[in-house]
Amino acid sequence: MIQIENLTKQYGSTTVVDRVSLCVERNSIAVIVGTSGSGKSTLLRMINRLVEPTSGRVLLDGADTRSEPAHLLRRRIGYAIQGHGLFPHRTVAENVATVPRLLGWPEDRIRARVSELLGIFQLDPALYAGAFPHQLSGGQQQRVGVARALAAEPGVLLMDEPFGALDPIIRAKAQEDLLAIQRRFGTTVVLVTHDMDEAFRLGHRVAVMSQGRVLQFDRPSVLLTQPADPFVARMTGISDRALRLLALTTAGEAAVPGSSAGPRVSASASLREVLSELLWSGATSATVLGEDGSARGQLDVAAILARGRP
Amino acid sequence: MELRLAITSHSARVDPLGLLLTAAAAAAWCCLPFVIFKSNRIMPGEPRALQAVLPPWGVIGLPAVLLLTAVVALGIADAKRRLIAALGAIVVLALAIAAAANALTPAGNRIVRVAPGAAFWVVLICLGLLATDAITRLRPRPLARVLLLAVCVGGGMLALRYGPFGNLSVMREYAVNAARFPLELRRHVLLAAGSLIAAVIVGLPLGILCHRTPRLRPPVLGTLGVIQTIPAIALFGILMAPLGALAGAVPAAAALGIRGIGAAPAAVALFLYSLLPIVANTVIGLRRVSQAAVEAARGMGMTARQVLARVELPLALPVILTGIRVVLVQNIGMVTVAALIGGGGLGTFVFQGIGQTAIDLVLLGAIPTVVLAFSGSVLLDALIEVLERTPSAGREAAA
């Protein structure tokens, strides 16, 4: 659990982060979203003390982060940034092994961990362990960056616009990978982005920042239906907020018993996707299929529309 | 149509560098003397015609070999054959000049001087360029280049030592100075390398400091830049007074050999000249390092020292080494001037030769200096390339 209490950062007379208090639950993903200059990166970097706060404090599982030297604290916290920041003169395996080496793990444990992580990130160790970063595609480099951040099994992972440099298709894949990894390891993730779609897709809770202040920190559906501030409403998108709300629920969650002659959709599809499918096919209801391909129920247009209202 | 194609492809096969070198060598061969004969070492020389001095095999053989080499240089693109032709021609040219010297020198006469003429030097330089161009085209690995250098320099030295070159004027001067030559050579290398090492020890941390503290950059680099513009002679003069005073005031300094003239001001001046390239290249090299990599290194828990040693310096190293290479070549050349203030080194021969109007003695100092600088440059280039094989920040930016 990460508790941020009254955290403030001032550079001279400029206040970049202004008395921010947040609590990120264990095993959850918190996304900090805001325009550039909102202070979101500074807030993130104060968690691992790349930026030292002017006042306030951060508690990691109850312990003040200032109770140990900053570099030791950082070795316990994963850190991934935009443009991956891989070391160009080190191989993929050496890059991933960075923090375990700093921690003095035995070589065989490091080797096993590197192989495991490369496997998880769909990078065949036989092909990629000895490769240099410039030999990889952008998506692969980014995956190595995240693998490196997770190498020492940190309880907390900080990510600063990690997918910002990727094209939309690879970014979507990277986001799915992150969700799967987070479920697998139960890592507590704090991720900074300026992309509201990314925030809604990844965040269990989303903090909207503007001018150094957190305006609202809540579940995506609450941000959409009960924005605490006109800025939050603007950020979450007034014109398509109904569709964004639909995107937060899956067909499986909304399905009711019964069957339909309409198109068949997957239970993991969002209501937004189901609605789009119904519009496209001209049908008024759809059959929802489970993972095994058997019918789990049905959904009609009225039921979907009802969920697009606050 | 086919005919035109054939013509264009044929004319494209004439090597432009080969054409240039052949033209230069041919012009020199026709207009300049090949051998100069002097009745003693300071008399003005008189040119001698090739057929007057060379035995029959040389009169026909040398031009034939040079012609053959010109044909290779003009028409054959294969780099290996070009290299063999150039090196072979160099050997034949050297044997010819030695034969000429031996033919012109009466047995037992140690007064006359036979020097290679301008045509010899121009042809030799053209052949050298042909050889280096061929080596460049072969793209040998760094180790192969160093080996090739060792073979060429070592072979040249052995040939001069045991070959038939004793009657050439430069070798005559060498014979007179044989006892001093190794000492001055050692002194030359020590002065150049010592001031370089001192400059690295001071310049590298200074460069790191300038990188860390941007405010320091303009004054430090500005001061070093101003030093760089002071002519060497003037800098020696400037240093004479304080070093002389130091030696006078501190007996221990005088005991260490520190004086207003001699090796001390030379070493100090070379050290000062060396600082700018090393500091400037350290700053540039560090600035070129990917900021994302540095940020990630800090974010993962490296200490400032670890970031420097494991990320910043390895990535900046090729640029820093380039600065060191510049300094090495610059120092080897500049040590020559140090002889003026009693610093010793190969420059001693150069300035003695100028004083005695004995051009052969000047060459005895100048030629080894050029060989030293060239060898140092090849060695460091090879080292830089080995380090660049492991990809650097520059390649990442290009990817």
Side-chain angles (χ1 to χ4, degrees):
Chain A
M1 191 166 72
I2 307 169
Q3 289 162 280
I4 296 172
E5 296 179 353
N6 257 320
L7 211 54
T8 298
K9 180 66 193 180
Q10 291 171 324
Y11 290 106
S13 58
T14 321
T15 304
V16 183
V17 173
D18 190 6
R19 285 164 289 152
V20 167
S21 296
L22 288 181
C23 182
V24 181
E25 295 295 329
R26 214 171 224 292
N27 308 343
S28 75
I29 301 180
V31 177
I32 306 169
V33 68
T35 52
S36 53
S38 60
K40 55 189 193 301
S41 279
T42 308
L43 176 61
L44 184 83
R45 289 152 60 90
M46 280 195 283
I47 297 175
N48 67 359
R49 289 176 58 198
L50 278 173
V51 173
E52 292 288 356
T54 307
S55 64
R57 59 179 192 162
V58 179
L59 303 180
L60 209 61
D61 295 326
D64 194 319
T65 51
R66 280 170 305 187
S67 60
E68 64 183 319
H71 65 276
L72 296 181
L73 170 77
R74 290 184 204 133
R75 290 175 193 176
R76 297 196 291 123
I77 299 177
Y79 186 57
I81 57 177
Q82 176 168 17
H84 61 73
L86 295 177
F87 302 141
H89 59 308
R90 300 279 180 87
T91 63
V92 166
E94 288 166 345
N95 264 289
V96 175
T98 305
V99 184
R101 287 248 157 79
L102 289 173
L103 292 171
W105 285 18
E107 268 313 302
D108 47 350
R109 185 178 169 200
I110 293 178
R111 222 172 302 124
R113 178 66 177 161
V114 168
S115 296
E116 181 194 1
L117 276 170
L118 290 182
I120 291 171
F121 282 91
Q122 298 124 48
L123 294 160
D124 180 0
L127 282 177
Y128 292 103
F132 284 96
H134 74 272
Q135 296 168 314
L136 307 182
S137 71
Q140 289 169 331
Q141 290 172 341
Q142 192 279 331
R143 263 137 67 195
V144 175
V146 179
R148 183 175 69 171
L150 290 170
E153 299 165 1
V156 172
L157 173 61
L158 306 181
M159 308 180 92
D160 194 351
E161 306 234 10
F163 312 129
L166 302 180
D167 64 64
I169 292 173
I170 298 186
R171 186 185 311 176
K173 166 91 169 73
Q175 289 165 345
E176 271 169 41
D177 285 349
L178 177 65
L179 287 172
I181 299 281
Q182 193 271 337
R183 274 195 296 271
R184 174 169 177 159
F185 293 123
T187 316
T188 307
V189 179
V190 182
L191 183 145
V192 160
T193 181
H194 61 265
D195 176 356
M196 206 64 189
D197 284 321
E198 182 165 274
F200 279 2
R201 182 191 272 236
L202 297 176
H204 298 127
R205 305 237 286 168
V206 175
V208 180
M209 273 191 90
S210 174
Q211 294 174 339
R213 311 221 47 178
V214 168
L215 302 174
Q216 193 169 7
F217 180 51
D218 218 319
R219 283 178 288 118
S221 58
V222 177
L223 290 186
L224 280 167
T225 55
Q226 299 155 39
D229 183 284
F231 182 81
V232 176
R234 265 211 315 283
M235 274 295 282
T236 52
I238 292 170
S239 60
D240 59 352
R241 58 189 169 188
L243 293 173
R244 284 176 187 275
L245 195 55
L246 288 180
L248 296 174
T249 310
T250 63
E253 289 162 356
V256 293
S259 66
S260 153
R264 293 134 73 88
V265 296
S266 150
S268 63
S270 73
L271 290 188
R272 181 178 178 158
E273 289 163 322
V274 178
L275 183 62
S276 172
E277 181 59 35
L278 291 178
L279 286 171
W280 194 254
S281 62
T284 55
S285 65
T287 305
V288 179
L289 301 179
E291 297 251 324
D292 52 357
S294 66
R296 286 228 334 231
Q298 62 106 17
L299 262 175
D300 60 25
V301 171
I304 296 174
L305 294 186
R307 285 185 176 261
R309 282 191 290 274
Chain B
M1 182 69 193
E2 272 196 1
L3 187 70
R4 278 188 56 182
L5 262 180
I7 289 169
T8 41
S9 66
H10 182 78
S11 63
R13 252 186 264 138
V14 171
D15 187 89
L17 181 75
L19 191 62
L20 184 71
L21 294 178
T22 305
W29 186 262
C30 296
C31 309
L32 298 171
F34 183 74
V35 181
I36 307 275
F37 178 84
K38 292 182 264 190
S39 50
N40 67 51
R41 69 194 284 256
I42 58 172
M43 284 299 278
E46 45 199 85
R48 288 292 165 92
L50 203 58
Q51 56 272 22
V53 291
L54 281 188
W57 66 262
V59 176
I60 302 165
L62 178 61
V65 167
L66 292 179
L67 263 178
L68 197 69
T69 312
V71 169
V72 173
L74 286 171
I76 296 179
D78 176 41
K80 204 175 276 179
R81 268 183 260 175
R82 292 168 73 92
L83 179 60
I84 291 169
L87 292 179
I90 288 174
V91 170
V92 171
L93 188 69
L95 289 175
I97 198 75
N102 294 338
L104 280 172
T105 309
N109 188 327
R110 301 206 152 272
I111 309 294
V112 301
R113 289 286 190 271
V114 181
F120 170 86
W121 293 114
V122 173
V123 173
L124 182 68
I125 289 169
C126 288
L127 291 171
L129 287 174
L130 185 62
T132 39
D133 171 64
I135 292 170
T136 312
R137 291 194 204 184
L138 280 172
R139 299 169 181 273
R141 299 184 147 267
L143 186 66
R145 289 208 303 266
V146 172
L147 279 176
L148 196 62
L149 176 76
V151 167
C152 286
V153 173
M157 277 163 61
L158 284 178
L160 288 178
R161 181 94 173 71
Y162 299 107
F165 300 98
N167 278 327
L168 275 174
S169 55
V170 179
M171 292 310 288
R172 276 288 173 76
E173 295 294 347
Y174 173 76
V176 172
N177 294 291
R180 265 172 61 210
F181 187 84
L183 296 177
E184 299 294 4
L185 180 66
R186 220 182 102 225
R187 188 126 196 217
H188 198 101
V189 171
L190 279 181
L191 266 176
S195 52
L196 168 68
I197 291 167
V200 171
I201 291 172
V202 174
L204 203 59
L206 195 58
I208 293 167
L209 196 67
C210 283
H211 174 71
R212 292 275 163 86
T213 324
R215 265 183 309 121
L216 276 178
R217 239 175 271 165
V220 170
L221 292 181
T223 310
L224 295 178
V226 169
I227 292 175
Q228 203 82 8
T229 63
I230 305 175
I233 297 285
L235 190 55
F236 292 146
I238 293 170
L239 287 169
M240 268 183 206
L243 287 175
L246 179 69
V250 186
L256 278 173
I258 294 177
R259 269 172 299 158
I261 56 167
V268 174
L270 290 169
F271 164 78
L272 289 175
Y273 282 128
S274 308
L275 277 179
L276 178 68
I278 291 177
V279 174
N281 278 46
T282 306
V283 171
I284 293 167
L286 288 174
R287 203 161 43 186
R288 204 185 68 144
V289 171
S290 145
Q291 279 316 294
V294 174
E295 157 96 6
R298 290 186 61 217
M300 284 187 297
M302 285 193 195
T303 61
R305 192 171 298 184
Q306 285 167 333
V307 174
L308 185 66
R310 300 187 189 187
V311 180
E312 291 184 299
L313 280 182
L315 289 175
L317 199 56
V319 180
I320 297 174
L321 280 176
T322 307
I324 291 177
R325 194 197 68 152
V326 168
V327 167
L328 183 64
V329 174
Q330 170 187 298
N331 275 6
I332 290 173
M334 212 132 53
V335 173
T336 317
V337 187
L340 266 188
I341 52 161
L346 294 167
T348 316
F349 300 125
V350 174
F351 287 111
Q352 270 178 12
I354 293 174
Q356 303 169 2
T357 61
I359 198 71
D360 305 317
L361 189 55
V362 175
L363 287 180
L364 181 65
I367 294 172
T369 307
V370 172
V371 173
L372 268 183
F374 182 74
S375 308
S377 164
V378 169
L379 280 176
L380 268 173
D381 268 339
L383 184 63
I384 292 168
E385 200 181 314
V386 166
L387 289 167
E388 289 233 305
R389 290 265 157 112
T390 54
S392 69
R395 281 210 207 164
E396 190 202 32

